[in-house]
Amino acid sequence: MSQESMVTTTPELDPYDALVLVSFGGPEKPEDVVPFLRNVTRGRGIPDERLEEVGEHYYSFGGKSPINDQCRALLAALRSELDRRGIDTPIGWGNRNWEPYLTDTLTSLDRAGHRRVLAITTSAYPSYSSCRQYRENLYDAAQDTALQVDRIRQYATHPGFVTASVDATNAALDQLRAAGADVDGTRLIFVTHSIPTAMEDASRQATRGYVGWHRAVADEVARQVSAERGTDYRWDLAYCSRSGPPTQPWLEPDVNDHLAACRDDGVASVVLVPIGFISDHMEVIYDLDTEAAATAEKLGLGFVRAATAGTHPAFVGALVDLALERAAAARGETPQRPVIPGAEVGADVCAADCCLNLRQPDRPALCQR
């Protein structure tokens, strides 16, 4: 019996015979930090001395990023949910910038006889860095294989993702109240990774854009929280993790600057809701839990950071639902595509001009028409 004939598909996920969780990757120990950062910044000519400076964020946490352990937890949660539904399709894991590398994962699947793979990315929004770059990496990783690789749609506007943020926001408000804060006047500050404004402009060529998607998610989270608690919560969108030269415009306001503006506006307490991240990346535990928390303390603001989606059951269930939805579409069916009110449904297959690579506009990517 050949290897290929040993690979079977589960009817619900047919034609896919494997799933792959695709993540950014991160160092596991101090010796990994600079090599990892070289991978992230490859082609930009950044000297190791500068990478050592950037790496201080990792060194301050023992040289280990939390992202890999969180991927392991998400993998386990997805496996459990698939098993609960009677779906025995194997699920692997590959990173863009560190072990286990995506190329190695896809090569192993190819050698095991798999032929059609569905990718679940750990980034939920449209933009170059949060969508197209993943598709470019999938293209590169699949080049020396016989695999056909698709991916689930961008999913930030899926109700399951939003439910996880609603629950996290309510829990954070309860924590503030337990500390003695008057939470009726608490400001909700939704936070995401900043990107260059040129990248935001590119994201609006074929979608409602990176900012537009975040504002839709923030508005729905705030609406649901307000309805559940009987308080009309004001909210703002702020950004973290800006990089690049000072002359290059990036999305603003920076979360630390915005905390000061809130204090000047008479706000006494804030909840930071990291809707731009699905788990506690370094940007969350350093930029928010460390820097922003210190800024809030200096300003005298009550401060709680809400949880990321992580392994929240609604989020894990949504990812499995999205895989089933994509499989149905691949079979030529017309599946239901849940989305929060008034928001845009993500694309299974992106337009050629969607979220263009401004440095290398001709670089090929998978999942594109």
Side-chain angles (χ1 to χ4, degrees):
M1 182 179 291
S2 70
Q3 268 190 322
E4 185 168 353
S5 66
M6 294 172 64
V7 175
T8 60
T9 59
T10 303
E12 296 91 338
L13 276 177
D14 183 64
Y16 301 112
D17 54 39
L19 302 171
V20 174
L21 184 68
V22 184
S23 190
F24 190 83
E28 299 270 22
K29 55 187 182 298
E31 308 91 273
D32 296 343
V33 171
V34 170
F36 162 72
L37 292 173
R38 287 193 197 114
N39 288 343
V40 174
T41 61
R42 183 175 289 116
R44 301 182 196 174
I46 299 176
D48 280 1
E49 294 78 12
R50 175 57 182 152
L51 297 182
E52 287 281 2
E53 294 175 16
V54 175
E56 286 301 323
H57 293 180
Y58 292 96
Y59 296 133
S60 64
F61 289 91
K64 180 177 181 176
S65 168
I67 193 171
N68 288 333
D69 283 345
Q70 289 161 8
C71 280
R72 293 181 183 104
L74 182 55
L75 270 175
L78 286 167
R79 180 72 271 159
S80 178
E81 178 65 11
L82 289 164
D83 290 345
R84 188 186 69 80
R85 302 191 194 195
I87 300 172
D88 60 5
T89 303
I91 180 166
W93 167 34
N95 289 325
R96 294 168 48 206
N97 297 296
W98 201 247
E99 299 172 350
Y101 287 107
L102 181 58
T103 297
D104 295 338
T105 300
L106 294 188
T107 298
S108 294
L109 288 171
D110 178 52
R111 289 174 178 169
H114 294 275
R115 288 297 171 260
R116 193 155 183 188
V117 175
L118 182 63
I120 298 173
T121 63
T122 57
S123 190
Y125 293 86
S127 81
Y128 170 69
S129 61
S130 58
C131 182
R132 190 184 187 99
Q133 195 169 19
Y134 280 78
R135 297 191 292 106
E136 290 175 349
N137 294 149
L138 283 167
Y139 178 91
D140 294 341
Q143 276 307 284
D144 294 326
T145 74
L147 297 175
Q148 178 177 336
V149 182
D150 297 328
R151 62 115 169 93
I152 64 171
R153 61 178 164 103
Q154 304 105 335
Y155 52 77
T157 55
H158 190 285
F161 181 78
V162 169
T163 294
S165 287
V166 170
D167 287 353
T169 304
N170 276 320
L173 287 165
D174 290 343
Q175 186 178 340
L176 267 179
R177 173 174 284 154
D182 177 9
V183 297
D184 286 349
T186 295
R187 183 72 59 87
L188 306 182
I189 303 177
F190 295 93
V191 188
T192 190
H193 203 302
S194 185
I195 60 173
T197 56
M199 193 182 292
E200 154 63 11
D201 292 342
S203 76
R204 288 189 277 108
Q205 295 304 304
T207 76
R208 296 182 190 175
Y210 183 77
V211 173
W213 271 57
H214 279 85
R215 294 192 69 83
V217 172
D219 191 58
E220 181 61 13
V221 172
R223 185 191 69 78
Q224 290 190 33
V225 170
S226 296
E228 290 177 18
R229 303 182 77 95
T231 299
D232 188 12
Y233 283 100
R234 290 183 61 187
W235 65 268
D236 307 303
L237 180 62
Y239 303 90
C240 66
S241 308
R242 187 202 192 284
S243 59
T247 54
Q248 184 182 39
W250 282 56
L251 296 176
E252 297 178 338
D254 174 79
V255 62
N256 296 284
D257 295 337
H258 192 64
L259 288 172
C262 286
R263 191 276 313 272
D264 293 344
D265 196 31
V267 173
S269 61
V270 298
V271 166
L272 265 57
V273 189
I275 57 169
F277 309 92
I278 73 158
S279 64
D280 291 1
H281 300 184
M282 185 57 69
E283 291 88 346
V284 176
I285 64 171
Y286 184 82
D287 293 8
L288 303 187
D289 293 353
T290 305
E291 285 194 330
T295 297
E297 183 177 13
K298 181 179 178 181
L299 294 168
L301 284 171
F303 174 97
V304 173
R305 193 268 291 177
T308 49
T311 57
H312 188 290
F315 176 54
V316 174
L319 292 179
V320 174
D321 288 343
L322 286 157
L324 295 171
E325 173 192 298
R326 184 65 185 90
R331 295 193 298 268
E333 300 169 16
T334 306
Q336 290 188 340
R337 296 183 180 270
V339 65
I340 57 176
E344 182 177 27
V345 177
D348 292 339
V349 181
C350 293
D353 62 347
C354 186
C355 305
L356 281 175
N357 181 338
L358 299 178
R359 286 196 183 101
Q360 298 175 276
D362 295 327
R363 184 172 174 180
L366 287 187
C367 313
Q368 179 173 298
R369 60 178 180 274

